[in-house]
């Protein structure tokens, strides 16, 4: 019955509370609240320009890099308000990793790409072991184990994206943010990434932004649907288990969007 | 069914004609530039090849053309270029990194930016006079190699800063973001993701800047004002001369032999310049290949 107790414990790893986000005078997100469950895949879907990626970038404070951005509300990571004054975004980013839309390996060897985060964070253990673990976890090891010294750009697009996932996994984050990770890949590369997401959720919490609804339906446990309301400002329309969103949406906007009646 | 190409055909011949005219203009431009360069080279080589002897390279200046050489000027040039590079590269690249990566976007920064661009176009004699009044007289560095190198550094800094900034600006945003997303702080991102990427471009800037410095005579006229030097500079405080000044002096002599000597000096200067550039180009290509494979 220990198992049951474990399950009853709160499994929320990230809480978004009344989050609003501004680029200068433009409000990109309005009053968004949602809870992200640990070891689940949460998809964020919605039409272009609704603020999906902006919301995703709030989780690891990547939006701090834009000088005129402003955030209201809170994001609680475990017990930690990641936007409180005392928190250094650099630490947040080493616990909440990110993979981008286009594969962006560094112009270095495969090995050095995976080692990059370890070096930045001053890892003092066995690099070879950690790099092998990250590459195995990202399902790339068998394809690259004999050519770790090759330049990362000698890999195919899909392999490069899995290398970027390995690079993020190497520093052992708790959460991985995927920002439309397959939009630059062919169907085979896409399937491999989706399979990978299904495996990775055993060890990590995954939040994935996608404009491909089938993908959200295939890989995610929960889905958040965003829409830009008045003034092109993104609002959260519906957040529920993926099967409910796609089979029995509560909101008319959600139904319109997933059935393609939305233009 | 037949397809009517008639309309497209009329149009096509006109477009092709315009294309050919444009090509002719471009070729003419290349031709003019190449003719100038090649005739200059031929003239210099014809006039000077006999004079490129060990005497020219290893002798000190002399009244007798057959004994005159530019040993002091050659060493002076190499010494000054080395010192100039030591001063310019850290300061220039540092300034570029600051302006691109750290400087807040406000009016002071844009004021500095506009002035950097303008300074790159200031006539070199102005830098010579500036160096004369600041380094030689005010800081009492005398007419030393150090004063010359500092003056030359002022002259080429704007060129290097502009080129390095362009190189840093060209680093894909995705690489910066990737490094930040892995928990890098600002300095780590600059050091590990931006600079390795910008390095070939920065090296090109260094080549361009130093190539400009090696051939400049005007500012050195103001600083050294010396031609007849019969010793090799040892410390940075020694007096010195450089090759363009020695060559300028020889050209202005009445005897024909000295003009031949000057042409010989130009050949040596060109060889020096070309070998310096090719080393840098080889270095750059090596790094570029590594980052683009």
């Amino acid at each position: 019955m220990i198992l049951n107790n474990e399950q009853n414990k709160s499994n929320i790893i990230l809480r978004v509370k009344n989050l609003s986000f501004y680029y200068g005078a433009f409000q990109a997100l309005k009053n968004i609240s949602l809870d992200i469950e640990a070891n689940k895949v949460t998809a964020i879907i919605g039409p272009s320009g609704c603020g999906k990626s902006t919301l995703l970038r709030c989780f690891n404070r990547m939006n701090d890099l834009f000088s005129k951005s402003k955030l209201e509300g809170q994001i609680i990571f475990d017990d930690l308000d990641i936007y409180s004054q005392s928190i250094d975004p650099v630490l947040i980013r080493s616990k909440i990793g990110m993979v981008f839309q286009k594969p962006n390996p560094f112009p270095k060897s495969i090995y050095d790409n995976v080692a990059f985060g370890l070096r930045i964070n001053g890892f003092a253990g066995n690099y070879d072991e950690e790099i092998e673990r990250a590459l195995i976890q990202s399902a790339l090891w068998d394809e690259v184990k004999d050519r770790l010294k090759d330049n990362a750009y000698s890999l195919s697009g899909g392999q490069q994206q899995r290398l970027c996932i390995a690079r993020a996994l190497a520093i052992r984050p708790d959460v991985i943010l995927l920002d439309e990770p397959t939009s630059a890949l062919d169907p085979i590369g896409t399937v491999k990434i989706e399979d990978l997401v299904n495996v990775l959720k055993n060890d990590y919490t995954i939040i994935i932004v996608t404009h491909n609804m089938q993908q959200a339906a295939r890989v995610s446990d929960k889905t958040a649907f965003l829409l830009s309301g008045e003034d092109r400002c993104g609002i959260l329309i519906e957040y529920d288990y993926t099967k409910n969103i796609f089979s029995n949406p509560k909101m008319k906007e959600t139904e319109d969007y997933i059935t393609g009646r939305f233009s | 069914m037949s397809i009517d190409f008639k309309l497209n055909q009329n149009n096509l011949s006109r477009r092709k004609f315009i294309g050919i005219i444009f090509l002719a203009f471009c070729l003419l431009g290349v031709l003019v530039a190449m003719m100038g360069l090649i005739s200059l080279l031929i003239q210099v080589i014809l006039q000077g090849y006999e004079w490129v002897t060990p005497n020219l390279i290893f002798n000190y200046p002399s009244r007798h053309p057959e004994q005159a050489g530019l040993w002091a000027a050659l060493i002076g040039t190499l010494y000054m270029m080395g010192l100039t590079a030591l001063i310019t590269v850290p300061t220039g690249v540092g300034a570029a990194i600051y302006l691109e990566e750290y400087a807040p976007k406000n009016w002071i920064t844009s004021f500095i930016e506009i002035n950097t661009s303008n300074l790159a176009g200031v006539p070199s004699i102005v830098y010579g006079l500036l160096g004369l009044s600041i380094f030689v007289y005010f800081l009492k560095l005398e007419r030393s190699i150090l004063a010359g190198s500092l003056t030359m550094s002022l002259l080429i800094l704007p060129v290097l800063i502009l080129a390095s900034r362009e190189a840093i600006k060209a680093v894909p945003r995705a690489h910066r973001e990737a490094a930040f997303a892995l928990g890098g702080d600002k300095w780590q991102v600059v050091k590990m993701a931006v600079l390795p990427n910008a390095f070939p471009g920065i090296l090109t800037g260094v080549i361009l800047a130093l190539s400009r410095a090696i051939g400049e005579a005007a500012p050195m006229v103001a600083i050294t004002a010396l031609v007849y030097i019969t010793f090799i500079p040892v410390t940075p405080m020694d007096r010195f001369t450089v090759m363009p000044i020695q060559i300028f002096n020889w050209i202005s002599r009445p005897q024909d032999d000295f003009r031949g000597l000057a042409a010989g000096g130009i050949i040596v200067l060109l060889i020096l310049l070309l070998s310096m550039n090719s080393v840098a180009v080889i270095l750059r290509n090596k790094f570029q290949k590594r980052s683009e494979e």
Side-chain angles (χ1 to χ4, degrees):
Chain A
M1 287 304 101
I2 294 164
L3 230 159
N4 266 337
N5 280 336
E6 289 278 348
Q7 281 172 343
N8 286 339
K9 256 174 66 181
S10 160
N11 251 345
I12 307 299
I13 187 164
L14 279 160
R15 278 175 214 278
V16 181
K17 291 182 178 170
N18 305 320
L19 181 129
S20 293
F21 186 83
Y22 305 82
Y23 292 110
F26 171 65
Q27 184 170 12
L29 293 171
K30 191 174 180 183
N31 207 16
I32 289 181
S33 298
L34 53 86
D35 292 345
I36 306 285
E37 282 184 54
N39 296 96
K40 289 265 160 57
V41 179
T42 304
I44 303 174
I45 61 168
S48 297
C50 71
K52 309 185 285 286
S53 290
T54 302
L55 176 59
L56 192 74
R57 285 162 163 267
C58 286
F59 287 115
N60 65 342
R61 293 190 62 169
M62 280 303 270
N63 287 326
D64 287 21
L65 302 178
F66 300 108
S67 53
K68 281 181 179 157
S69 65
K70 194 181 87 187
L71 181 134
E72 288 166 0
Q74 284 182 313
I75 297 180
I76 312 290
F77 175 40
D78 211 9
D79 311 317
L80 215 64
D81 178 1
I82 69 168
Y83 280 89
S84 80
Q85 290 287 321
S86 57
I87 300 292
D88 191 330
V90 167
L91 290 177
I92 295 298
R93 291 183 200 128
S94 66
K95 283 286 151 200
I96 303 183
M98 185 165 204
V99 174
F100 297 85
Q101 202 166 344
K102 268 175 70 181
N104 58 353
F106 298 112
K108 299 170 186 285
S109 71
I110 294 167
Y111 185 95
D112 286 340
N113 262 282
V114 186
F116 196 93
L118 295 171
R119 290 192 177 126
I120 272 185
N121 291 287
F123 177 70
N126 187 332
Y127 274 73
D128 291 355
E129 265 175 27
E130 274 313 278
I131 285 160
E132 183 174 340
R133 177 192 61 85
L135 285 167
I136 288 173
Q137 275 198 322
S138 65
L140 193 60
W141 176 249
D142 288 335
E143 290 158 65
V144 301
K145 63 183 173 198
D146 300 322
R147 45 189 286 213
L148 292 173
K149 294 284 166 220
D150 285 9
N151 195 295
Y153 283 94
S154 64
L155 299 173
S156 74
Q159 288 174 323
Q160 286 183 23
Q161 194 63 304
R162 275 179 285 147
L163 179 65
C164 292
I165 293 176
R167 186 173 67 183
L169 295 180
I171 56 174
R172 298 177 182 266
D174 295 310
V175 182
I176 298 165
L177 310 174
L178 303 171
D179 189 358
E180 300 191 20
T182 61
S183 63
L185 304 185
D186 62 18
I188 295 170
T190 302
V191 168
K192 285 192 172 156
I193 300 275
E194 288 180 5
D195 290 346
L196 186 56
V197 168
N198 266 322
V199 177
L200 286 177
K201 72 175 179 184
N202 296 320
D203 298 312
Y204 304 92
T205 302
I206 293 170
I207 309 177
I208 179 170
V209 161
T210 175
H211 56 214
N212 178 337
M213 281 178 287
Q214 285 76 24
Q215 182 168 67
R218 282 194 298 264
V219 302
S220 70
D221 302 299
K222 296 188 86 175
T223 296
F225 172 56
L226 263 60
L227 199 59
S228 37
E230 77 276 23
D231 307 331
R232 291 166 40 235
C233 165
I235 45 177
L236 179 66
I237 300 292
E238 192 167 351
Y239 178 51
D240 203 343
Y241 288 100
T242 300
K243 57 178 190 292
N244 294 345
I245 291 272
F246 282 91
S247 59
N248 190 17
K250 292 189 184 63
M251 306 295 289
K252 187 174 175 303
E253 290 96 327
T254 314
E255 192 181 346
D256 286 351
Y257 183 72
I258 60 164
T259 53
R261 255 175 285 164
F262 179 91
S263 60
Chain B
M1 192 185 128
S2 71
I3 302 167
D4 182 15
F5 276 119
K6 206 164 182 188
L7 182 77
N8 313 48
Q9 244 163 6
N10 287 338
N11 201 358
L12 193 65
S13 54
R14 218 187 110 232
R15 280 183 295 171
K16 276 192 171 164
F17 181 64
I18 294 174
I20 288 168
I21 290 182
F22 182 70
L23 179 65
F25 262 111
C26 294
L27 279 177
L28 193 70
V30 173
L31 213 63
V32 169
M34 289 306 289
M35 288 297 283
L37 187 65
I38 288 172
S39 58
L40 199 73
L41 275 177
I42 290 175
Q43 203 207 348
V44 164
I45 289 170
L46 284 181
Q47 214 182 349
Y49 77 96
E50 291 174 301
W51 291 91
V52 183
T53 58
N55 268 355
L56 175 70
I57 295 170
F58 295 111
N59 280 13
Y60 290 110
S62 161
R63 289 185 284 131
H64 309 292
E66 60 279 3
Q67 280 168 26
L70 36 68
W71 182 235
L74 181 66
I75 297 300
T77 291
L78 290 176
Y79 202 151
M80 192 195 70
M81 293 309 297
L83 212 52
T84 304
L86 277 182
I87 298 167
T88 322
V89 174
T91 42
V93 175
I97 292 173
Y98 175 76
L99 286 172
E100 274 308 312
E101 297 288 335
Y102 291 93
K105 298 275 174 278
N106 57 23
W107 67 269
I108 302 177
T109 311
S110 17
F111 182 76
I112 294 174
E113 280 170 9
I114 292 168
N115 277 293
T116 322
S117 315
N118 284 341
L119 283 176
V122 170
S124 54
I125 185 67
V126 175
Y127 285 100
L129 296 173
L130 183 75
L132 186 68
S133 60
I134 292 183
F135 301 125
V136 176
Y137 294 136
F138 184 70
L139 292 178
K140 302 206 166 43
L141 294 177
E142 306 297 327
R143 298 178 181 278
S144 63
I145 291 207
L146 184 61
S149 302
L150 286 168
T151 307
M152 219 36 129
S153 301
L154 283 188
L155 173 74
I156 63 175
L157 258 177
V159 182
L160 182 59
I161 293 174
L162 284 178
S164 305
R165 287 190 62 184
E166 288 307 317
I168 292 170
K169 218 180 276 182
V171 175
R173 197 193 147 80
H175 289 154
R176 266 175 244 260
E177 288 197 327
F180 273 120
L182 288 167
D185 63 23
K186 185 83 190 182
W187 162 235
Q188 288 176 315
V189 172
V190 170
K191 182 182 68 171
M192 295 173 71
V194 176
L195 285 186
N197 246 299
F199 185 75
I202 291 176
L203 205 57
T204 309
V206 173
I207 300 169
L208 281 176
L210 291 182
S211 311
R212 179 166 179 203
I214 202 170
E216 278 288 351
M220 290 301 106
V221 170
I223 298 292
T224 84
L226 253 198
V227 180
Y228 195 75
I229 287 193
T230 52
F231 57 87
I232 291 174
V234 179
T235 74
M237 296 310 291
D238 286 345
R239 299 202 66 174
F240 72 111
T241 190
V242 290
M243 291 171 72
I245 291 198
Q246 184 66 65
I247 292 165
F248 179 66
N249 174 271
W250 281 337
I251 286 177
S252 48
R253 302 260 184 120
Q255 298 96 320
D256 263 352
D257 279 354
F258 273 111
R259 255 169 256 151
L261 207 54
I266 291 173
I267 294 174
V268 175
L269 183 63
L270 280 178
I271 291 171
L272 190 65
L273 182 66
L274 285 178
S275 44
M276 196 177 89
N277 279 6
S278 30
V279 167
V281 168
I282 290 167
L283 265 178
R284 184 188 62 192
N285 288 352
K286 206 180 116 198
F287 282 100
Q288 221 158 22
K289 222 172 265 161
R290 199 181 288 171
S291 65
E292 275 173 8
E293 256 171 44

